């Protein structure tokens, strides 16, 4: 992006390496406005860190960055169960869906995290050198040079993700105590050489490592025992050729080094990760020898710990002290990892004097508890924040579990996709599930409650509920609601920011927006969800509500192209819409719907307020009663009756006072058709929603009504047969079949302010079919 003279942004992230990009994505996910400033004009093409450990893989899975489109996981990157501790081979596998280490070039990691950050709205500005920080009471100004000009960024917080020589850390005056490098490894990618692979070969004069990649390039690393470190990164091609010859006796001078650098065993740790409006993450906060990929993984995990806390702070949703927990939690983790890495560096680069120590450590790591302990630190799986006393799960990461669904199990970690808080309630008794969900209701704007059956195995079989922070760490777990409200209050704010447009008071006789009365056809500033909007009446309703000014979520099950076409058509006409997929009869389908819906709303409006809900998606039976199977019956009820109930239940956290709910029934609840008994039963059930919910929601001015279409043209081939159409037309007193727009217009009335006095009703939109 080209330069701008002065930019106002909520957070400036300095550094577009993997840590800065991960942080930018996390901040955007939490609703923050983010600008990333990067010194380099273009992303680096050098593949330095290439190892992702199990915890990082879990985090990527949590955010749908493995299996989602453009993710790493298609197919999953090469996987290696064996790692090392200071060069001593070690099996890194521990219970996790992604045990061991995964090989992903850093270029690829940056590409993925960068694309995600941009997609979520981050501004990435390249070619900027940060040269000044000026703190003010309520903001901080960042000065940066771009093409010889000085530019100013006004921001609430600045985060240095700018590496071990961090300009942000220096400008903020944050101390970086520790030890400089005493020993070094020279590292190069060399093309055109034929040498044998060596994992960690200790020779009399030094250590040699060589690994040939699929593309024929060999990664070479070498250390000469006793040779002091030069300044980081300063090695040349001649240096690696000479060191390799000294240690192995082999000549690699005929190869072409693609890049060469050196890295030492320096170990430094920032005194503070936060100083008022300045924060540090990744190598800017901790410098360590990049052994076994731990530096990158530590940094990515810093970013995920900080992202949601800082986002909540800048959008006004953070409880007191939330941001300070970043330093408290991550500084302690950094300290521990640094001391492990220093121990490893000594074992790896020490000369003959460490042989005895290596053999003792080798003996110890043969014991499973020792191996598991060290593998826990290397993989990041053992991180446990001292958040509160209580259940053993508290502070640790949410363990993955497959939760039973009505058809297929679904992933617990997958529920963290939106970066919101999660209250997962696998309690066995329904009554207990309800009591726990009731406690969390005031936090519905920031915490998703998902009730589920307990999984077949693992730690989640034994708790009634777990409260999980957006970074995947457990904030509370218990067998009863005791202590849940305190934990919710510690990590989340109840309520949350709402749409700032004035809203109708439920008792007002007229609704006004900015002093203007709204009539039917004016949904400006409102948001709507129409289920089953890829075709038929749902599509016509989405188009009509968008024409009336609403931002419309176009839900579909499988027909992605059709939904995209609806959205494109609405946008072409100047309206606003986005598509949301979800199979409503699949396990977790309603949750998936709301993940997509709330994310889409939040990106476009800054909040998850939903003014209008139209439960339209439906399936017909088309099978005679005597041939209907229990599976077919369950599917009909699942989509037509069960899903609308749970959609309303879930939507009530987002629907404001004065909101509108319309459920699509059918004339078949009043007009006999023995071929569609199961379908008609499901529609009879859905009509009950209007009666009972209308009563319950009246005090909030929310109306709930049923609309019953008669035969209405949809994509069914029967409408292409003139004789069939004629016969169907004869059922209507107007002697024609209904058009989707006939029903959409009725729905448009019911969701308008003009229909404020209609609730709990059954509206016949069958063209007089029910007159008999
Ligand atoms: P339609 O053209 O058959 O379209 C059905 C919509 O529901 C599609 O958007 C479809 O998504 C979605 N859907 C189907 N199965 C789903 C599932 N398992 N999970 C989530 N979404 C699913 O619909 P229509 O004929 O306009 O009917 C709309 C509503 O009116 C339905 O409730 C229907 O029962 C009712 N109705 C229709 C008539 C009629 O004559 N057409 C009469 C009375 C009542 P995909 O496109 O992705 O598959």
């Amino acid at each position: 992006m080209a330069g701008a003279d002065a930019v106002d942004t909520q957070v400036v992230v300095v550094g577009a390496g993997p840590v800065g990009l991960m942080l930018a994505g996390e901040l955007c996910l939490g609703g923050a406005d983010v600008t990333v400033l990067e010194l380099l004009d273009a992303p680096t093409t050098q593949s330095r860190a290439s190892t992702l450990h199990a915890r990082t893989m879990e985090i990527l899975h949590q955010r749908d960055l493995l299996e989602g489109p453009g993710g790493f996981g298609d197919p999953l990157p090469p996987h290696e169960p064996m790692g090392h501790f200071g060069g001593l081979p070690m099996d890194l596998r521990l219970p996790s869906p992604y045990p061991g280490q995964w090989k992903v070039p850093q270029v690829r990691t940056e590409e993925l995290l960068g694309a995600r950050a941009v997609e979520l709205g981050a501004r990435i500005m390249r070619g900027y050198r940060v040269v000044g920080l000026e703190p003010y009471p309520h903001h901080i100004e960042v000065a940066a040079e771009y093409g010889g000009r000085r530019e100013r960024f006004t921001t609430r917080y600045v985060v240095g993700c700018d590496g071990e020589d961090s300009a942000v850390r220096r400008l903020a005056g944050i101390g970086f105590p520790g030890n400089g490098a005493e020993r070094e490894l020279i590292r190069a990618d060399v093309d055109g050489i034929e040498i044998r692979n060596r994992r960690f070969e200790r020779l009399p004069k030094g250590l040699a490592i060589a690994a040939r990649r699929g593309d024929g390039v060999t990664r070479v690393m070498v250390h000469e025992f006793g040779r002091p470190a030069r300044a980081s990164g300063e090695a040349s091609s001649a240096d690696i050729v000479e060191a390799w010859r000294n240690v192995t006796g082999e000549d690699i001078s005929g190869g072409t080094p693609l890049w060469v650098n050196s890295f030492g065993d320096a170990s430094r740790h920032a005194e503070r990760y936060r100083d008022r409006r300045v924060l540090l993450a990744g190598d800017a906060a901790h410098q360590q020898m990049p052994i076994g990929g731990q530096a990158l993984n530590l940094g990515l995990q810093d970013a995920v710990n900080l992202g949601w806390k800082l986002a909540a702070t800048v959008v006004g949703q953070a409880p007191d002290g939330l941001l300070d927990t970043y330093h408290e939690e991550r500084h302690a983790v950094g300290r521990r990892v640094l001391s492990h890495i220093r121990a490893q560096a000594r074992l790896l680069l020490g000369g003959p004097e460490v042989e005895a120590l290596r053999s003792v450590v080798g003996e110890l790591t043969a014991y499973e508890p020792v191996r598991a302990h060290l593998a826990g630190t290397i993989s990041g799986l053992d991180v446990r924040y001292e958040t509160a006393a209580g259940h053993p799960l508290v502070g640790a990461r949410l363990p993955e579990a497959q939760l039973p669904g009505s058809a297929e199990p679904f992933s617990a970690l997958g529920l963290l996709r939106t970066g919101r808080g999660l209250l997962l309630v696998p309690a066995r008794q329904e009554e207990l599930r309800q009591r726990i969900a009731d406690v969390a209701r005031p936090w519905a704007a920031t915490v998703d409650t998902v009730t589920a059956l307990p999984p077949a195995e693992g730690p989640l079989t034994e708790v009634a509920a777990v409260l999980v922070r957006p970074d995947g760490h457990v904030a509370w777990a218990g067998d009863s609601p005791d202590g849940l409200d305190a934990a919710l209050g510690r990590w989340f704010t109840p309520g949350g920011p709402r749409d700032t447009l004035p809203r109708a008071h439920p008792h007002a006789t007229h609704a006004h927006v900015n002093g203007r009365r709204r009539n039917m056809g004016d949904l400006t500033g409102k948001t709507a969800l129409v289920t089953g909007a890829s075709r038929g009446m749902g599509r016509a309703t989405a188009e009509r509500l968008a024409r009336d000014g609403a931002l419309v979520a176009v839900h579909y099950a499988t027909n992605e192209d059709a939904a995209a076409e609806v959205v494109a058509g609405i946008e072409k006409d100047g309206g606003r819409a986005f598509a949301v997929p979800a199979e409503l009869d699949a396990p977790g389908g309603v949750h998936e719907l709301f993940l997509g819906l709330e994310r889409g709303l939040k990106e476009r409006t800054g909040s998850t307020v939903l003014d209008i809900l139209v439960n339209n998606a439906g399936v017909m039976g088309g099978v005679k009663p005597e041939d209907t199977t229990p599976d077919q019956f369950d599917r009909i009820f699942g989509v037509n009756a069960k899903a609308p109930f749970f959609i309303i239940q879930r939507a009530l956290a987002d629907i404001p006072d004065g909101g509108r709910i319309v459920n699509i029934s059918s004339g078949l609840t009043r007009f006999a058709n023995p071929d569609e008994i199961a379908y008609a039963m499901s529609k009879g059930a859905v009509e009950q929603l209007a009666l009972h919910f209308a009563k319950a929601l009246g005090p909030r001015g929310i109306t709930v009504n049923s609309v019953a279409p008669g035969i209405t043209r949809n994509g069914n081939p029967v409408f292409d047969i003139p004789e069939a159409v004629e016969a169907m037309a004869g059922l209507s007193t107007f002697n024609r079949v209904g058009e989707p727009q006939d029903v959409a217009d009725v729905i448009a009335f019911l969701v308008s302010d003009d229909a404020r006095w209609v609730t709990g009703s059954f509206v016949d939109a069958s063209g007089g079919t029910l007159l008999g």
Side-chain angles (χ1 to χ4, degrees):
M1 183 170 168
D5 286 315
V7 173
D8 269 340
T9 184
Q10 286 174 320
V11 181
V12 168
V13 173
V14 181
V19 176
L21 295 172
M22 172 62 105
L23 177 65
E26 291 293 295
L27 287 165
C28 291
L29 200 59
D33 175 75
V34 182
T35 302
V36 181
L37 301 181
E38 165 61 47
L39 183 59
L40 297 180
D41 288 326
T44 171
T45 52
Q46 294 184 359
S47 243
R48 293 163 186 248
S50 60
T51 301
L52 298 181
H53 285 294
R55 179 59 190 147
T56 303
M57 292 293 282
E58 289 185 356
I59 286 170
L60 296 173
H61 172 89
Q62 275 171 203
R63 294 295 190 257
D64 209 16
L65 288 168
L66 287 180
E67 276 153 35
F72 286 134
D74 195 17
L76 278 174
H79 169 233
E80 172 64 66
M82 293 304 288
H84 68 96
F85 184 82
L88 294 161
M90 178 173 289
D91 186 338
L92 294 179
R93 283 174 295 182
L94 288 174
S96 161
Y98 303 100
Q101 43 180 336
W102 303 76
K103 294 293 172 193
V104 183
Q106 182 169 329
V107 178
R108 176 81 187 102
T109 309
E110 284 190 15
E111 202 177 74
L112 179 99
L113 297 176
R116 173 204 187 219
V118 168
E119 190 195 325
L120 291 174
R123 233 174 271 112
I124 299 183
M125 301 175 74
R126 294 190 163 275
Y128 284 79
R129 176 185 295 279
V130 171
V131 293
L133 296 178
E134 184 110 9
Y136 291 86
H138 301 292
H139 72 275
I140 181 163
E141 280 192 8
V142 180
E145 282 175 4
Y146 173 81
R149 280 205 335 245
R150 195 174 250 244
E151 295 179 15
R152 208 164 32 81
F153 295 81
T154 302
T155 185
R156 302 266 316 278
Y157 290 89
V158 53
V159 190
C161 300
D162 47 349
E164 55 197 41
D165 298 323
S166 170
V168 172
R169 190 186 63 229
R170 182 173 34 80
L171 292 165
I174 298 176
F176 201 42
N179 307 313
E182 292 166 8
R183 301 173 180 79
E184 68 172 1
L185 265 175
I186 311 181
R187 171 170 68 167
D189 277 355
V190 187
D191 200 3
I193 53 171
E194 293 283 343
I195 54 173
R196 74 184 158 77
N197 280 350
R198 298 164 164 92
R199 208 163 148 66
F200 290 101
E201 191 170 48
R202 288 177 71 79
L203 295 157
K205 291 193 177 163
L207 174 75
I209 302 160
R212 194 176 168 86
R213 300 195 312 229
D215 59 2
V217 173
T218 304
R219 162 98 26 125
V220 177
M221 291 196 244
V222 61
H223 166 67
E224 289 177 80
F225 291 146
R227 183 183 173 119
R230 68 199 85 203
S232 175
E234 275 191 356
S236 67
S237 305
D239 291 334
I240 191 140
V241 169
E242 186 198 330
W244 192 259
R245 186 182 300 116
N246 290 347
V247 171
T248 67
E250 291 172 1
D251 180 10
I252 56 168
S253 62
T256 312
L258 304 180
W259 58 266
V260 184
N261 69 8
S262 69
F263 57 93
D265 58 353
S267 180
R268 299 181 186 278
H269 202 193
E271 285 165 351
R272 303 181 292 287
Y273 283 14
R274 176 184 177 192
D275 184 3
R276 286 159 293 176
R277 295 186 177 277
V278 179
L279 296 122
L280 301 173
D283 290 355
H286 38 75
Q287 181 183 5
Q288 59 283 301
M289 189 160 189
I291 292 183
Q294 268 175 279
L296 170 64
N297 288 269
L298 188 61
L300 292 172
Q301 289 159 33
D302 288 342
V304 174
N305 183 288
L306 175 59
W308 68 279
K309 295 174 181 173
L310 184 54
T313 304
V314 298
V315 303
Q317 275 187 340
D320 286 350
L322 180 69
L323 193 53
D324 287 326
T325 65
Y326 169 62
H327 167 84
E328 290 157 16
E329 294 181 346
R330 292 306 298 176
H331 196 270
V333 172
R335 195 168 44 233
R336 181 154 179 266
V337 172
L338 285 187
S339 89
H340 275 234
I341 290 182
R342 286 179 62 190
Q344 289 200 58
R346 184 53 60 101
L347 287 174
L348 186 68
L349 302 184
E353 75 281 5
V354 299
E355 284 309 331
L357 188 58
R358 288 176 60 84
S359 90
V360 172
V361 174
E363 281 170 27
L364 290 176
T365 53
Y367 289 93
E368 174 55 19
V370 176
R371 182 205 70 84
H373 176 80
L374 296 177
T377 307
I378 294 171
S379 62
L381 292 174
D382 71 346
V383 170
R384 197 182 155 146
Y385 300 130
E386 300 295 324
T387 49
H391 196 280
L393 283 175
V394 173
R397 76 203 213 278
L398 174 71
E400 172 63 319
Q402 293 299 316
L403 300 162
S406 52
E408 288 173 5
F410 58 101
S411 151
L413 291 186
L415 297 171
L416 290 161
R417 205 175 310 163
T418 56
R420 290 158 52 87
L422 169 70
L423 178 64
L424 179 60
V425 194
R428 280 169 209 282
Q429 308 99 342
E430 174 59 25
E431 184 268 340
L432 180 57
R433 284 208 286 264
Q434 277 309 327
R435 270 178 36 223
I436 291 171
D438 284 347
V439 174
R441 214 170 297 284
W443 278 269
T446 44
V447 178
D448 294 327
T449 298
V450 177
T451 54
L453 293 170
E457 53 185 31
L460 295 185
T461 49
E462 285 164 19
V463 279
V466 277
L467 176 66
V468 190
R469 311 187 320 186
D471 58 3
H473 281 262
V474 175
W476 169 93
D479 298 326
S480 73
D482 294 349
L484 173 58
D485 54 350
L488 282 160
R490 169 152 190 221
W491 298 105
F492 303 99
T493 47
R498 285 285 187 177
D499 187 338
T500 46
L501 275 178
R503 304 219 154 254
H505 188 277
H507 303 305
T509 50
H510 298 303
H512 292 79
V513 170
N514 299 335
R516 173 170 63 86
R517 179 165 187 249
R518 279 175 180 276
N519 290 314
M520 180 179 169
D522 182 0
L523 298 179
T524 318
K526 301 233 174 191
T527 55
L529 165 65
V530 182
T531 66
S534 48
R535 46 202 167 92
M537 283 174 262
R539 174 182 185 148
T541 305
E543 290 167 348
R544 167 71 206 250
L545 302 191
R547 256 200 323 279
D548 290 353
L551 165 65
V552 183
V554 173
H555 159 262
Y556 66 98
T558 53
N559 219 328
E560 190 178 352
D561 291 347
E565 197 182 297
V566 177
V567 170
I570 288 174
E571 287 175 344
K572 189 163 151 277
D573 292 342
R576 295 202 306 153
F578 59 96
V580 187
E583 286 270 8
L584 291 177
D585 56 335
V590 171
H591 183 61
E592 188 188 342
L593 169 68
F594 277 83
L595 290 181
L597 171 72
E598 291 177 345
R599 178 170 170 172
L601 290 174
K602 211 160 176 189
E603 281 167 13
R604 289 163 181 81
T605 67
S607 90
T608 57
V609 168
L610 180 70
D611 298 283
I612 297 162
L613 164 63
V614 182
N615 272 314
N616 164 79
V619 283
M620 290 206 63
V623 192
K624 292 187 189 316
E626 56 272 30
D627 298 329
T628 302
T629 65
D631 281 352
Q632 285 165 334
F633 188 92
D634 285 348
R635 179 168 149 73
I636 291 170
F637 265 74
V639 180
N640 296 359
K642 184 176 173 187
F645 173 85
F646 285 103
I647 291 173
I648 295 176
Q649 182 196 65
R650 178 73 187 268
L652 284 176
D654 293 329
I655 297 184
D657 292 356
R660 295 281 183 265
I661 299 173
V662 175
N663 304 308
I664 306 306
S665 176
S666 162
L668 290 185
T669 60
R670 307 285 196 279
F671 181 95
N673 178 349
D675 284 348
E676 286 289 355
I677 295 181
Y679 171 78
M681 285 173 72
S682 72
K683 292 298 187 181
V686 89
E687 281 176 17
Q688 294 300 312
L689 294 174
L691 178 63
H692 303 283
F693 268 125
K695 180 87 175 167
L697 300 176
R700 291 181 52 195
I702 298 173
T703 68
V704 190
N705 293 290
S706 306
V707 169
I711 291 178
T712 310
R713 194 185 299 276
N714 58 14
N716 193 312
V718 73
F719 290 97
D720 297 332
I721 306 168
E723 300 75 34
V725 172
E726 196 183 329
M728 293 188 286
L731 296 173
S732 156
T733 195
F734 301 127
N735 199 29
R736 66 172 175 86
V737 296
E739 297 298 331
Q741 292 74 13
D742 293 326
V743 181
D745 290 347
V746 176
I747 297 170
F749 164 67
L750 286 172
V751 304
S752 75
D753 285 320
D754 280 0
R756 63 192 168 276
W757 208 235
V758 183
T759 194
S761 76
F762 167 88
V763 178
D764 172 352
S766 71
T769 303
L770 303 185
L771 298 175

